[in-house]
Amino acid sequence: MPLRAVIIDREKLIEHDNWSEPLRTLLLSLHKFDIAVVDISGKDGTNPALAGQSSIPEATGEEAAGIVHPLLNLAIPFSDCLVIADCEDTVGKARSWNVAVLGYEPPALDRGRPSLIHTCLDYLVEGFEEVDFDFLERIYKRYHNLPWTVIETERCYLREITLEDLDALYELYRPEAITRYMDGLNEEREKEEAYIKAYIHHMYRFCGYGLWVVMEKSTGKLIGRAGLSHLEVEEGTELEMGYAIAADCQRQGYATEVCRGILSYAQEALGARKIYCLIHRDNLPSIRLAGKLGFQWEKNLISNGKEMQRYLKILHF
């Protein structure tokens, strides 16, 4: 289910003085990813060419301006599209087609028009300077409940968990070597499924990060679980890094590789200034890894009845 087209109403964008150079630059860049840009200017929401159809029957626009992919009779299902909208009318059309919507509302909004802030949108931006294909694709994936691939390392990639990962996750946590220092999954599969569903909806959607699965590129196999959680400390809520690598993949440098990727992501993508680790006092390999990654011991504490050590790494900008 790939993103194949971005739909705009160019006439309305121009009318509202929202046809900006950053937006135009974004749209022009999409041809590199084989993404069509479809202009629906002048098309009424009840236009028989669009209403009740399962796909866009025709891409129209000014090829000379480079705005619309020069393809006629383009048959793209609406399920493969995303709409960029700057007014309620365009949002309404998008919702009638069951399409993901990126709202655009610049800070200097004409207050004679209703704000989109209370409209049913997937995302809302004030400009397009930092919007790229990856950003659009993630909005599209979130709308269709498709997992994001968040981090890529030399041998692995980290993506969001799905319910289809459950069998592999139970296998990951089966060895005593994994659960010796950390909690396993719920023994009742239905409860674990419910937990994962809630986690996907709340953690991923509202925070944009969380615990991810570690996938080995060469095999496509799930070999771990790692990422960022919330940790309550004296100063408030901070980020905590955690990881678990499959027993048969340990001592091969995967943990170091994955954790370095997570630290870079936390610093560069999230703007984090500090990261914590909670490690069982007897988990000597993890304690050595924390030191290798530049974490410093802070204190000993009891967490969920276990004797833990808290480590901190300051991220430098």
Side-chain angles (χ1 to χ4, degrees):
M1 240 184 115
L3 173 62
R4 296 176 57 197
V6 170
I7 301 172
I8 62 168
D9 189 324
R10 186 165 175 260
E11 285 184 1
K12 289 195 180 296
L13 288 163
I14 293 173
E15 176 188 340
H16 303 149
D17 200 26
N18 286 334
W19 184 245
S20 63
E21 187 59 31
L23 172 56
R24 187 175 184 277
T25 299
L26 167 66
L27 297 176
L28 289 172
S29 73
L30 296 180
H31 77 278
K32 295 183 296 185
F33 305 97
D34 293 323
I35 304 297
V37 179
V38 181
D39 182 12
I40 58 169
S41 295
K43 291 191 181 295
D44 189 292
T46 59
N47 190 308
L50 293 173
Q53 301 295 317
S54 61
S55 65
I56 302 167
E58 182 178 322
T60 62
E62 300 178 13
E63 289 89 351
I67 302 306
V68 177
H69 214 287
L71 294 176
L72 297 178
N73 301 318
L74 184 69
I76 295 181
F78 281 123
S79 59
D80 293 351
C81 299
L82 176 146
V83 170
I84 294 177
D86 74 331
C87 62
E88 289 184 336
D89 181 59
T90 308
V91 173
K93 290 179 183 179
R95 288 311 181 206
S96 72
W97 303 327
N98 193 25
V99 176
V101 185
L102 171 61
Y104 174 35
E105 186 166 289
L109 173 71
D110 176 3
R111 293 304 170 187
R113 292 192 294 113
S115 171
L116 293 180
I117 198 165
H118 299 300
T119 308
C120 184
L121 297 169
D122 299 295
Y123 282 83
L124 181 67
V125 296
E126 294 185 340
F128 290 92
E129 288 80 4
E130 297 183 7
V131 176
D132 57 12
F133 166 74
D134 289 338
F135 185 86
L136 297 180
E137 186 181 46
R138 286 188 171 189
I139 295 172
Y140 170 82
K141 285 186 173 182
R142 185 66 78 226
Y143 182 78
H144 292 285
N145 296 312
L146 300 173
W148 291 2
T149 295
V150 185
I151 297 170
E152 185 173 343
T153 67
E154 181 181 355
R155 295 177 293 171
C156 306
Y157 63 90
L158 280 69
R159 67 156 169 80
E160 295 175 342
I161 295 169
T162 70
L163 289 177
E164 287 71 28
D165 295 320
L166 260 180
D167 287 342
L169 286 172
Y170 272 105
E171 184 64 22
L172 170 70
Y173 283 93
R174 183 179 58 80
E176 191 271 338
I178 298 294
T179 56
R180 182 184 304 151
Y181 302 122
M182 64 183 65
D183 294 332
L185 304 184
N186 197 304
E187 293 183 1
E188 297 183 45
R189 189 183 178 100
E190 288 185 0
K191 290 185 177 179
E192 188 63 35
E193 286 184 2
Y195 171 78
I196 288 179
K197 285 180 182 178
Y199 191 89
I200 291 170
H201 180 77
H202 296 291
M203 192 69 180
Y204 291 159
R205 284 183 177 270
F206 290 101
C207 297
Y209 55 82
L211 288 175
W212 306 296
V213 288
V214 180
M215 308 298 294
E216 188 177 41
K217 289 180 181 178
S218 62
T219 63
K221 179 183 175 183
L222 190 155
I223 64 166
R225 190 179 190 181
L228 298 165
S229 302
H230 293 147
L231 179 68
E232 293 299 326
V233 298
E234 293 79 1
E235 298 80 13
T237 303
E238 298 288 352
L239 291 178
E240 174 194 356
M241 183 178 72
Y243 75 94
I245 298 297
D248 60 350
C249 293
Q250 293 178 8
R251 299 180 182 85
Q252 298 178 43
Y254 283 111
T256 302
E257 180 180 324
V258 165
C259 289
R260 282 178 173 159
I262 293 170
L263 291 171
S264 295
Y265 179 81
Q267 180 174 354
E268 297 166 11
L270 303 179
R273 296 188 175 276
K274 60 174 70 172
I275 299 287
Y276 287 88
C277 275
L278 275 184
I279 305 174
H280 193 283
R281 72 168 191 175
D282 297 331
N283 190 349
L284 299 183
S286 286
I287 290 173
R288 286 194 292 267
L289 175 59
K292 183 178 180 179
L293 295 171
F295 282 83
Q296 299 292 323
W297 174 88
E298 263 207 336
K299 63 185 295 186
N300 295 336
L301 52 85
I302 302 296
S303 177
N304 295 325
K306 297 179 180 179
E307 296 182 78
M308 309 293 286
Q309 295 182 349
R310 194 172 82 189
Y311 290 80
L312 170 66
K313 179 178 175 66
I314 302 298
L315 302 178
H316 299 284
F317 285 80

